[in-house]
Amino acid sequence: MPHTSKLFLILLCCAANAAAQSETRQQPEALRASVADFLALQTAGLPGKVSVTVGAVDPRLNLPACPAPQAFLAPGSRAWGKTTVGVRCTAPSPWTMYIQASVAVQADYIASAVPLAQGQAIEAGQLVSLRGDLAALPAGIATDIGQVLGRSANVSLPAGTPLRLDTLRSKAVVQQGQLVRMVSSGAGFRVSAEARAIGNASEGQVVQVRTPAGQQISGVARAGGLVEVAF
């Protein structure tokens, strides 16, 4: 019995020491949870279904416990695909570490159903909706057909190409040779007159027009064949 009691006391002491160390050391699972919550917040506005996978944290990690660890994106990282998230502690003991993670975004995106010719206005029958991981595709992929209709490709594209918005031209609201209504405005006045467009322009783009007197003026193209000129 004396030996049994002594062994029991040793085990009890070891358990107490382990518990004390656990309270003073930062728990790896708490760090992984902090990263997962951070990425879920960062991707809350993305379309489709988002899934976050956080990499393992070395169980031998020996950092002081932090009551409020703060997650942040490492320089050059983004909140989807394969990424790196930093976690820092400011008090009571400052430290910083980095954890690998992966964010997949399963959503519909728009691709060409047939080859698209450069400069040709895109129609609904030329498009197809596919589903995949947006994080594995280039940035700026169209996710709604309305983002693409009426626009044109900067270069010819083969069938099956995911459509990037930065490679598409907006539909022209003013076309070369078109008779437009030029509206001039300034402090206390507004004058309109007819002019002829010298080039093509999408909504909000700058376009040059020529007045009946032959003067060339730059303005901002608007829908309905309007060109705004400010003085």
Side-chain angles (χ1 to χ4, degrees):
M1 287 296 294
H3 292 291
T4 302
S5 299
K6 186 175 180 180
L7 180 60
F8 176 75
L9 290 174
I10 292 174
L11 293 175
L12 187 62
C13 180
C14 289
N17 288 337
Q21 288 182 355
S22 177
E23 291 178 358
T24 58
R25 285 182 56 217
Q26 178 62 55
Q27 297 303 302
E29 285 308 308
L31 297 178
R32 296 182 73 245
S34 177
V35 170
D37 291 344
F38 172 77
L39 289 174
L41 183 63
Q42 293 293 310
T43 56
L46 295 178
K49 182 181 178 181
V50 178
S51 59
V52 177
T53 303
V54 181
V57 177
D58 191 339
R60 296 168 298 178
L61 182 71
N62 190 22
L63 293 174
C66 185
Q70 301 171 355
F72 62 94
L73 279 178
S77 298
R78 61 179 187 172
W80 63 357
K82 294 187 181 299
T83 188
T84 300
V85 178
V87 183
R88 67 166 64 95
C89 182
T90 56
S93 298
W95 49 259
T96 301
M97 68 168 302
Y98 296 91
I99 300 175
Q100 302 296 313
S102 178
V103 180
V105 185
Q106 292 294 326
D108 295 332
Y109 63 92
I110 306 302
S112 55
V114 296
L116 299 179
Q118 178 182 1
Q120 179 184 358
I122 299 173
E123 301 175 354
Q126 299 173 309
L127 303 173
V128 63
S129 179
L130 303 176
R131 191 165 185 84
D133 182 8
L134 296 188
L137 296 172
I141 293 294
T143 56
D144 186 274
I145 195 171
Q147 296 174 300
V148 178
L149 287 179
R151 302 180 73 173
S152 60
N154 291 336
V155 296
S156 296
L157 299 174
T161 303
L163 298 183
R164 290 170 44 194
L165 296 177
D166 61 353
T167 65
L168 301 178
R169 297 193 193 116
S170 298
K171 182 179 180 179
V173 294
V174 170
Q175 295 184 345
Q176 183 177 0
Q178 177 184 352
L179 197 61
V180 299
R181 175 64 59 180
M182 183 179 66
V183 179
S184 305
S185 59
F189 74 90
R190 182 180 178 87
V191 179
S192 66
E194 286 189 342
R196 196 166 295 277
I198 297 176
N200 299 327
S202 304
E203 175 78 25
Q205 287 187 327
V206 175
V207 63
Q208 282 196 327
V209 298
R210 180 178 287 109
T211 68
Q215 183 181 10
Q216 290 190 16
I217 299 175
S218 295
V220 177
R222 299 298 183 194
L226 293 178
V227 175
E228 294 180 346
V229 179
F231 291 96

